[in-house]
Every structure is written in structure tokens, then in C-alpha cells.
Amino acid sequence: MNIVLLGPPGSGKGTQAKMIADKYGVVHISTGDILRENVRNNTDLGKEAKKYMDAGQLVPDDLLISIIKDRLSKPDVAGGYMLDGYPRTTPQAEAMDKILPELGQEINVVINIDVPDDELVKRLSGRRMCKCGVSYHLEFNPPKKEGVCDVCGGELYHRDDDKEKAILNRLEVYKTQTQPLIDYYNKAGIIADINGAGQIGEIFEEISTALDKL
Ligand code: AMP
């Protein structure tokens, strides 16, 4: 089963992605994580991507297309995967539609998580991350000890792109560049619309119901 997860920044995509990966045994592929790892390791790709990421803008399509082509060519995707954060533009979706048949793959379902804007801003500005991948929220899901990860003891950080100006930018970018993909995949008849405004568990149940129908 190959899944695409669509949803605005702050829709809980990353959290749901981890739960889906655990329950359905698919590989979780987050292009944001791949880019952040490159930024941490100061690779050429990381240096180029950082300028866009810090401003809440999209990294150019050609870089993302080559990242995804490389990632989907690895043997571990054979048992199914879930793309979290890719595609984000129509050219990225079109490029993937060319790459997939070459690899003998197809996307079976696009999970589209919808959340109202004001809720997204509230969620994103309070988000704190740990480099081990766990995320917290100052109000909704605080760590036991302020500023420290419950799981690994690491120091929590506030992503530059979770600061207010970048958040508004990211939401705008989502509307103009990524939202047209909903139409794109609707035409392909593979969208499952999910209400992302509720509790994490309820949203996961809705997603599970959609996946269990496949
Ligand atoms: P995310 O963790 O998915 O919110 O991604 C963080 C940032 O990485 C985004 O705001 C973009 O700057 C960049 N990024 C991740 N995936 C993509 C993509 N498919 N296309 C362009 N930029 C991306």
C-alpha cells in the first residue's frame, strides 16, 4: 500500500504519519525530515534548502524531485510507503506520475487532512521539536520538564519556520501551491478527505477506516 498524506502545515500530518507507519507497516518518508537532516549535516543540498526553509518557502521542485526519485528507488519501500510532505506542487506530482511506473509502483490513496486556518496558527506557534523526531506543544502536549524531551532527554527547539511570519508564509504557500493537488488527485479518484480538527485518536480512526477499505 502506497499512501500520500496531504495537509497544511500544522494539520498533524507528521503525528498521523508515525501512527499509520506503525499500524500498517509502511515506510514513513518525510521530505521535510530528509531536508532537515541535510541542513544538520551541512551538505550542499542542506545549504541550498535552508534559505527557503527558514523563510517558510518551498525548496525548488528539481531538488525535491531528485530526492524523491532517489528515495523511492531504495529496496525498503517494497512493502509499501507513505509520503509525508511530497508532492507539494503540481510539477512535483506530475514528475512522480512519470517516475512511479518506471519503478513499478503506484499511489493507492491520498489522505487529505483538512483543518481551519486559525487552528493551524495556534498549533504551529506552540510547537516544539526534539531532534529525535518527537514533537510537543506548549499548551496541548507539553513535555514533563520544560524544554526537555520526555523520550530522549534532548533539548527542545522552536523550528525557525514555526515562528509567526514564516507560519503565515507557509499557509499562503500551501493555499497557492499545494491545494491545487486536491483537485489533481480528485480527478484521479484516489482522495480520502479527513476532518483534522478533532483529537489525534479520532483523526487516526477516520484515517484507519479509509485505509481499511482499500
Ligand atoms: P515539513 O516538515 O514537511 O513541514 O517541511 C519543512 C520545509 O521543508 C517546508 O516548509 C519546505 O521549505 C521544505 N519542503 C519539504 N518538503 C518539500 C517539498 N515537497 N517541496 C518543497 N519544499 C519542501
Side-chain angles (χ1 to χ4, degrees), residues 104-163:
Q105 300 170 11
E106 64 175 350
I107 298 298
N108 307 103
V109 64
V110 176
I111 301 283
N112 175 38
I113 307 179
D114 194 30
V115 181
D117 274 6
D118 51 347
E119 176 72 21
L120 293 174
V121 175
K122 211 162 45 179
R123 288 186 188 179
L124 286 168
S125 52
R127 184 157 75 169
R128 295 295 179 272
M129 309 290 296
C130 179
K131 61 178 179 330
C132 76
V134 178
S135 69
Y136 298 87
H137 192 282
L138 295 179
E139 190 184 337
F140 309 127
N141 176 31
K144 291 195 184 80
K145 186 166 170 226
E146 196 185 321
V148 178
C149 177
D150 293 349
V151 178
C152 77
E155 191 185 337
L156 302 184
Y157 66 96
H158 191 187
R159 274 171 50 173
D160 281 334
D161 60 352
D162 280 346
K163 295 180 182 160

Side-chain angles (χ1 to χ4, degrees), residues 53-77:
M53 294 170 76
D54 285 352
Q57 286 166 359
L58 292 185
V59 175
D61 284 337
D62 55 337
L63 294 179
L64 265 297
I65 291 166
S66 98
I67 290 173
I68 211 70
K69 190 168 184 183
D70 183 59
R71 186 63 189 85
L72 296 184
S73 306
K74 302 232 160 92
D76 66 336
V77 303

Side-chain angles (χ1 to χ4, degrees), residues 152-189:
C152 77
E155 191 185 337
L156 302 184
Y157 66 96
H158 191 187
R159 274 171 50 173
D160 281 334
D161 60 352
D162 280 346
K163 295 180 182 160
E164 181 150 352
K165 188 150 176 271
I167 290 174
L168 296 176
N169 228 335
R170 287 164 71 199
L171 293 179
E172 186 56 30
V173 164
Y174 185 80
K175 284 212 169 74
T176 54
Q177 313 230 53
T178 308
Q179 218 145 282
L181 291 178
I182 297 172
D183 255 1
Y184 183 91
Y185 286 118
N186 247 330
K187 285 195 187 111

